[in-house]
Amino acid sequence: MEELHESLEDTLLFALDDLPGEDFKRFKYKLHFSYLEEKKLIPWAKLKDAHTVDVLQLLLEAYGEQGAQDTTIKVLRAINMRDSASRLQKWKYDDLRKKYKRHIREVFQNLPQLVPHSNRKVTLQENYVELLLKRRPELPKRDHEMMAVERKHREMKNHPENGLKVDLENLFHPHPEGENSKTVLLLGPSGTGKTTATWKFMLDWASDKLWLTKFAYAFYISCNALRCGTKLMSTMEMILNSCPPGIVSMEDILANQDNLLLIVDGFEDLKLSDVPADTLDKDPHQKQEVVSLLIGLLKKKIFPKCHLLVTTRPMGVSPLLKCLRSPLLVDVLGFDPVHRKEYFHRFFQNMKQANQIFELVQRNETLLSMCFLPATCWVIGSIFQQNPQAEFLQEIPETATLTEIHLHLLLSFLGTNSRPSHLEALCSLAKDGILHRTMTFHEEELKERGLDYYLTSDSPSASRKVFHQDIQVKTLYRFTHLSFQEFFAALFYLLDTEETTGTPSRDLSEAFGDQKERTSRYLVLIRFLYGLSNVERMSVLQKSWSFKLSRTKVWPELLRWVGQEAKAHSFKREEVLLELCHCIYDMKDAVFAQRAMKDVHDLDLRTQLLTKLDFKALSFCLSVAEVLNSVRLSGCEFGRQRFQHLLPGFLKSSEIQLNRCGLSPTACKDLTPIAMTNARLTSLDLGENPLEDSGFSYLCEWLLQPTCPLQSLRLPSCNLTAAVCGPLSQVLESGSSLLELNLGANPLGDIGAKQLCQGLKPPSSRLQRLILHSCGLTTGACEDLSSVLETSETLLELNLGDNSLGDEGVRQLCQGLRQRCCKLQKLILTMKSFNQTTKGKLQAACARHPGLVLTSYYPPDFPRFPGTEE
């Protein structure tokens, strides 16, 4: 219900009744000589004997409501009744603000919404599902925008404590760190809900649900509308937009800039490569170039004290930052998992059906992750709306690739046998848009390309689903889903049209350029190129849409891209390497995969493997690779089944790094036969896994083999005891090729150290580096260790840090260090635990060997300066 408040007539009458007799006479006398907008003066004969009610009636008849109000304020000031004038002025502004908020509610409440049930009208208030907003500490990298957000969701799933969730009510309040929060920059790829969020902000503000005391005025500026509108505009016209006349006071706005919020939506739509020169006229009524005017607002040349909220895709950040003063960066990340479920519950009236749909989505890890995007949820909902019995989700394999999922969605959304009209022109438009960063297209461009078929209301429903008409600018269109645009763009390069139309071959170099920025921007396009080159998928598309595809000319370009990225060392970035694995797996062609993997020598995916599909892609690439220098998968949790799938790939690598992978003793049992078969394996890191003595016993079978090529074995923090030291001593004594042994942070004790020393003393031992930090060693182990220092011909580095050796134990070590035959070059100890006498003897003993470095021990997690040795 609309709130009750004083009418204009009541307010004016109160102001007149409040005037004492003489002041009221002066008011009438002055009113006789006042005028407004060249309207006729009120005759004195009517005013002379008029009472307050009569004067009010004369004012309304002569000037109308607004004019009567302005005239009364003007006359009150003229007769020096400033308090009365100020009260009336305040009422006027308050009344205008209420009218403006009412207007905003009407506009934003009734904006058309994309909902699965087209026959059910819903409001923004009903339709809106909360979006995930997180503060961003630094500028976005030049990655593919959508994939960067998806990766962010995965990181939050594994580390929910990271990142500050945004409190909207306090968005503009000063931050504890002292950051300037008068300007907020909302960043997010197309389709994450930035525009809808700003509409909801406007609606909530106008409904007194958000920023009630913070802002007196909030104005919404659409950059899309500016781009398609008139080239010249005044500040007033820009911020008032289609606001009816007479409900906003510019005087009030200028006087309350601290309480003014300007929301500038879609800055990237202006497509500015650089900021225009500053040629601004600060007169709010002066017409000038739209872009210059907007830049003036962003730079606060106009309304210098106002608050700004600007939305843009990450690609539009660079020119924007030249305008904004210390903006607070906030990521718009679409739906979190809870609100993905809420989406389906909110838009399906049948709760049972909503639960059924979400359960089907939830079964597919990749599809569920794609639903962070509201547009994906909408497409799935629309498919079920068309066919409530649809089984398309059950048909998608649990580890379906990105291309497989989009192919299922697109065919189900458009209809399996509903070929999009003018397919070549449609794909060409999609491709040009992706290459030139264009998501919206003017209807004239669609007509020029012969795509006006998609604009008619009588076209088949499949064609109407390809594009969405912009809600605010009816002449603009965009693909229903950004990924659909990328899908059609990739399809452009595979269309075989030469036989029929003589179209020249597609030049893939425009997508596979040499620029790193270009590659990261087109990662999804590239992924679709690989996925659509799969023989089975090509067959499905050709059968469904009745056109011919050919990958003959695409294959060499895809291989060239892999070679190009390898030469540029792009695959040293873990996320780029993982994307290559996904691309190769998406094609699922063993011949192509083998050729592509020849350019990849190191598979370093530490902490990157987060999903089932990630493991599938890695497993496939490992299986087809012929030779690898290294496979580094630290921090990736394996179950036994996944680990067994990866095992055949370990046959190809000379270095395997699997620390912090949750491996059990049975993993060693599974790994040992593979290791025995790999004659190239020289380095193995299984640290920080609970292998225990039983797990090591399997490895020992391999280590004792005379043909074992291993040179480096790292087993820190593996729950090993002294029981493993006897077998290890045998390995060392047998002339093993082992050069480095890391047993740190295992409770070996003095007994274990003594047993190891037995294997280190013989000349047959080749070990050069021994790490025994945090192994529970005491003075009792030092005599044997000193003996090793005297006799070993190969030991160059010994780490005994974080052990309770005591001063007596170190003095025993000094006996071995003083010997001329000691070959040690680096000794690591916890120096702070020794007295000054012991330290002096230790330094004197080390001084006998100019090449020997004495180093203090620091724990592995101790902060280090960049570039220092680990």
Side-chain angles (χ1 to χ4, degrees):
M1 181 181 291
E2 189 70 37
E3 60 179 301
L4 297 174
H5 61 280
E6 275 188 306
S7 68
L8 174 62
E9 290 87 345
D10 290 339
T11 306
L12 288 174
L13 188 58
F14 178 81
L16 295 175
D17 283 341
D18 200 37
L19 293 174
E22 287 301 317
D23 288 331
F24 183 56
K25 288 180 181 179
R26 290 170 57 228
F27 179 88
K28 291 191 289 182
Y29 183 76
K30 197 69 177 177
L31 178 60
H32 172 59
F33 295 104
S34 297
Y35 62 91
L36 188 72
E37 296 180 356
E38 300 181 354
K39 296 204 175 187
K40 293 180 180 180
L41 296 174
I42 301 174
W44 175 247
K46 292 184 178 181
L47 285 171
K48 182 179 178 181
D49 297 318
H51 298 291
T52 53
V53 176
D54 301 324
V55 171
L56 173 59
Q57 193 60 40
L58 290 170
L59 280 166
L60 292 172
E61 288 175 358
Y63 305 126
E65 287 190 356
Q66 189 66 48
Q69 189 177 29
D70 292 339
T71 301
T72 304
I73 293 169
K74 179 181 176 182
V75 174
L76 287 172
R77 285 175 178 164
I79 64 173
N80 210 27
M81 300 297 291
R82 298 192 179 279
D83 288 345
S84 297
S86 296
R87 283 195 299 270
L88 190 55
Q89 183 82 62
K90 183 179 183 303
W91 186 93
K92 172 188 174 181
Y93 289 158
D94 288 346
D95 186 57
L96 288 176
R97 291 176 185 182
K98 289 172 184 174
K99 288 179 179 177
Y100 176 65
K101 282 192 171 184
R102 188 159 54 245
H103 166 72
I104 291 299
R105 289 198 298 272
E106 291 170 357
V107 169
F108 287 90
Q109 181 70 58
N110 296 315
L111 284 173
Q113 299 297 304
L114 288 176
V115 292
H117 290 282
S118 57
N119 59 341
R120 181 163 65 95
K121 185 179 180 181
V122 296
T123 65
L124 177 60
Q125 200 74 49
E126 294 173 314
N127 183 48
Y128 187 76
V129 177
E130 184 181 341
L131 296 168
L132 179 60
L133 305 180
K134 288 259 186 175
R135 287 197 55 197
R136 168 180 278 279
E138 76 288 320
L139 291 174
K141 298 176 182 177
R142 289 180 173 178
D143 290 333
H144 186 280
E145 298 171 359
M146 207 71 75
M147 297 181 80
V149 173
E150 193 168 349
R151 190 160 54 246
K152 185 82 172 175
H153 275 277
R154 292 181 185 179
E155 291 169 2
M156 289 189 296
K157 181 181 177 181
N158 289 277
H159 305 284
E161 71 282 0
N162 291 351
L164 295 171
K165 195 171 180 180
V166 171
D167 174 16
L168 280 178
E169 186 60 46
N170 297 313
L171 184 61
F172 291 96
H173 285 203
H175 192 265
E177 298 173 8
E179 293 182 55
N180 180 343
S181 56
K182 270 202 157 187
T183 300
V184 174
L185 183 55
L186 290 185
L187 295 166
S190 176
T192 49
K194 300 185 300 298
T195 293
T196 307
T198 59
W199 294 349
K200 186 63 164 50
F201 296 163
M202 288 293 294
L203 180 59
D204 283 351
W205 168 79
S207 305
D208 294 336
K209 296 178 180 178
L210 183 66
W211 304 319
L212 175 60
T213 59
K214 184 71 177 174
F215 300 122
Y217 286 101
F219 295 101
Y220 175 82
I221 301 171
S222 166
C223 291
N224 235 341
L226 293 181
R227 179 167 67 96
C228 298
T230 178
K231 300 302 179 186
L232 295 176
M233 188 179 289
S234 70
T235 306
M236 283 290 289
E237 290 170 333
M238 179 175 285
I239 66 171
L240 295 182
N241 201 355
S242 57
C243 199
I247 67 169
V248 174
S249 167
M250 196 61 179
E251 184 182 19
D252 189 24
I253 294 171
L254 291 171
N256 292 279
Q257 291 184 38
D258 275 329
N259 304 112
L260 170 64
L261 171 64
L262 298 179
I263 297 179
V264 180
D265 183 31
F267 180 82
E268 78 280 354
D269 290 324
L270 294 179
K271 293 184 172 53
L272 297 181
S273 56
D274 205 351
V275 177
D278 195 354
T279 57
L280 187 68
D281 187 325
K282 297 180 182 180
D283 181 355
H285 299 282
Q286 178 65 42
K287 288 184 181 289
Q288 47 198 315
E289 289 283 343
V290 165
V291 173
S292 297
L293 185 58
L294 182 63
I295 297 302
L297 285 172
L298 296 176
K299 287 185 173 183
K300 297 194 175 178
K301 301 290 185 181
I302 311 172
F303 306 131
K305 296 181 180 179
C306 76
H307 291 71
L308 284 172
L309 191 152
V310 186
T311 76
T312 185
R313 289 175 60 194
M315 70 175 193
V317 166
S318 294
L320 186 53
L321 289 178
K322 297 175 183 177
C323 306
L324 303 179
R325 299 177 189 171
S326 306
L328 179 70
L329 304 180
V330 175
D331 277 326
V332 182
L333 300 173
F335 294 149
D336 65 16
V338 171
H339 291 98
R340 292 170 208 179
K341 184 175 183 178
E342 182 187 333
Y343 179 94
F344 292 104
H345 279 183
R346 183 165 293 201
F347 293 113
F348 284 89
Q349 295 168 309
N350 185 325
M351 195 59 66
K352 183 179 178 181
Q353 185 186 31
N355 285 327
Q356 177 191 13
I357 294 169
F358 187 72
E359 284 171 13
L360 289 171
V361 170
Q362 212 168 13
R363 288 178 195 172
N364 191 296
E365 190 178 25
T366 305
L367 185 60
L368 179 63
S369 71
M370 287 168 54
C371 283
F372 79 86
L373 205 62
T376 303
C377 297
W378 179 82
V379 167
I380 293 171
S382 296
I383 293 171
F384 275 97
Q385 185 231 339
Q386 297 165 38
N387 180 9
Q389 307 303 317
E391 298 180 353
F392 81 102
L393 289 181
Q394 287 137 323
E395 296 169 359
I396 302 176
E398 189 178 351
T399 53
T401 67
L402 192 71
T403 309
E404 281 180 292
I405 290 175
H406 278 87
L407 182 58
H408 271 88
L409 287 177
L410 193 58
L411 290 178
S412 300
F413 184 62
L414 298 182
T416 305
N417 297 310
S418 300
R419 172 186 171 177
S421 180
H422 303 83
L423 187 61
E424 185 180 358
L426 181 67
C427 292
S428 178
L429 177 77
K431 181 263 300 182
D432 289 344
I434 294 298
L435 296 183
H436 298 103
R437 306 188 191 189
T438 299
M439 305 298 116
T440 56
F441 304 92
H442 199 279
E443 66 178 8
E444 289 303 318
E445 183 174 4
L446 269 64
K447 290 176 180 178
E448 287 171 8
R449 292 175 179 258
L451 296 173
D452 44 330
Y453 172 83
Y454 288 92
L455 309 180
T456 60
S457 58
D458 57 348
S459 60
S461 60
S463 298
R464 293 200 301 274
K465 293 174 188 172
V466 173
F467 291 104
H468 271 152
Q469 187 179 37
D470 190 270
I471 291 173
Q472 296 173 304
V473 185
K474 301 300 183 184
T475 56
L476 291 182
Y477 292 81
R478 67 174 65 229
F479 282 86
T480 301
H481 195 299
L482 174 59
S483 294
F484 288 174
Q485 182 178 349
E486 292 175 306
F487 188 96
F488 283 119
L491 197 59
F492 172 81
Y493 295 103
L494 291 159
L495 288 174
D496 187 1
T497 57
E498 291 188 49
E499 293 180 7
T500 55
T501 64
T503 305
S505 61
R506 275 81 169 126
D507 183 10
L508 264 172
S509 63
E510 55 191 358
F512 293 137
D514 296 328
Q515 304 172 22
K516 291 182 181 178
E517 179 187 358
R518 191 179 282 182
T519 297
S520 63
R521 284 209 317 260
Y522 304 148
L523 280 178
V524 172
L525 169 62
I526 293 170
R527 176 92 73 93
F528 283 151
L529 275 169
Y530 277 87
L532 290 173
S533 296
N534 172 272
V535 174
E536 291 180 9
R537 277 172 231 139
M538 290 175 67
S539 175
V540 168
L541 271 174
Q542 289 177 145
K543 184 178 178 181
S544 299
W545 287 352
S546 303
F547 63 87
K548 189 175 180 183
L549 294 175
S550 173
R551 64 180 187 176
T552 305
K553 294 177 181 177
V554 171
W555 259 42
E557 288 297 324
L558 296 178
L559 287 171
R560 188 181 71 83
W561 174 72
V562 177
Q564 171 187 301
E565 294 299 300
K567 287 178 183 177
H569 306 292
S570 297
F571 299 136
K572 289 186 176 181
R573 290 177 58 196
E574 295 166 10
E575 61 271 21
V576 178
L577 179 59
L578 180 60
E579 180 57 29
L580 173 68
C581 292
H582 277 292
C583 286
I584 293 173
Y585 178 61
D586 215 336
M587 187 185 287
K588 292 183 180 176
D589 188 295
V591 175
F592 178 91
Q594 284 179 346
R595 293 182 188 175
M597 288 300 293
K598 284 182 179 179
D599 287 310
V600 179
H601 308 295
D602 299 282
L603 274 175
D604 187 347
L605 292 171
R606 285 172 282 190
T607 72
Q608 290 292 308
L609 304 182
L610 300 173
T611 67
K612 295 175 184 176
L613 188 58
D614 290 341
F615 282 98
K616 278 283 188 182
L618 170 66
S619 181
F620 181 74
C621 289
L622 274 173
S623 69
V624 297
E626 295 179 357
V627 177
L628 290 167
N629 293 334
S630 64
V631 176
R632 301 188 182 103
L633 304 176
S634 303
C636 301
E637 288 286 334
F638 298 116
R640 188 175 184 187
Q641 187 176 6
R642 285 182 179 177
F643 186 66
Q644 288 176 329
H645 282 145
L646 296 177
L647 283 173
F650 295 155
L651 284 167
K652 329 286 181 61
S653 180
S654 58
E655 177 188 346
I656 297 174
Q657 191 179 95
L658 299 172
N659 57 307
R660 291 181 291 108
C661 290
L663 301 181
S664 65
T666 54
C668 291
K669 182 180 180 181
D670 297 330
L671 179 62
T672 298
I674 298 295
M676 284 183 174
T677 313
N678 186 351
R680 300 180 65 249
L681 183 57
T682 57
S683 178
L684 178 63
D685 185 349
L686 299 176
E688 301 175 74
N689 290 297
L691 304 180
E692 303 179 350
D693 297 346
S694 57
F696 176 77
S697 65
Y698 296 114
L699 290 176
C700 208
E701 296 176 23
W702 169 49
L703 294 172
L704 286 168
Q705 297 289 326
T707 56
C708 176
L710 197 67
Q711 297 178 10
S712 174
L713 178 62
R714 300 187 187 96
L715 299 171
S717 302
C718 289
N719 297 347
L720 306 179
T721 70
V724 305
C725 295
L728 266 175
S729 181
Q730 294 178 37
V731 171
L732 296 172
E733 193 174 357
S734 68
S736 162
S737 58
L738 210 58
L739 303 177
E740 176 186 0
L741 179 61
N742 184 342
L743 298 173
N746 287 298
L748 306 179
D750 294 344
I751 295 175
K754 289 174 181 286
Q755 291 177 323
L756 277 177
C757 289
Q758 294 304 311
L760 289 167
K761 292 175 185 177
S764 54
S765 172
R766 301 181 188 179
L767 198 71
Q768 297 178 0
R769 188 183 189 207
L770 177 62
I771 299 174
L772 296 174
H773 69 79
S774 312
C775 286
L777 308 186
T778 69
T779 303
C782 292
E783 183 178 349
D784 289 275
L785 289 168
S786 179
S787 176
V788 169
L789 296 178
E790 290 183 36
T791 58
S792 175
E793 294 289 329
T794 59
L795 191 63
L796 303 177
E797 179 179 335
L798 178 61
N799 185 337
L800 299 174
D802 196 28
N803 287 296
S804 303
L805 304 180
D807 292 297
E808 177 60 30
V810 174
R811 284 196 286 272
Q812 290 179 16
L813 287 179
C814 287
Q815 293 178 18
L817 290 170
R818 282 194 290 267
Q819 304 304 314
R820 290 183 177 275
C821 56
C822 176
K823 298 294 192 294
L824 201 66
Q825 296 179 3
K826 186 174 184 179
L827 176 61
I828 302 173
L829 298 167
T830 304
M831 300 295 292
K832 64 181 181 181
S833 61
F834 310 134
N835 63 36
Q836 292 301 318
T837 303
T838 301
K839 289 180 181 178
K841 289 186 177 182
L842 185 60
Q843 290 167 353
C846 291
R848 296 175 65 90
H849 304 281
L852 176 57
V853 177
L854 180 63
T855 304
S856 292
Y857 171 79
Y858 296 100
D861 57 351
F862 192 84
R864 299 172 184 273
F865 290 105
T868 56
E869 184 182 353
E870 295 185 2

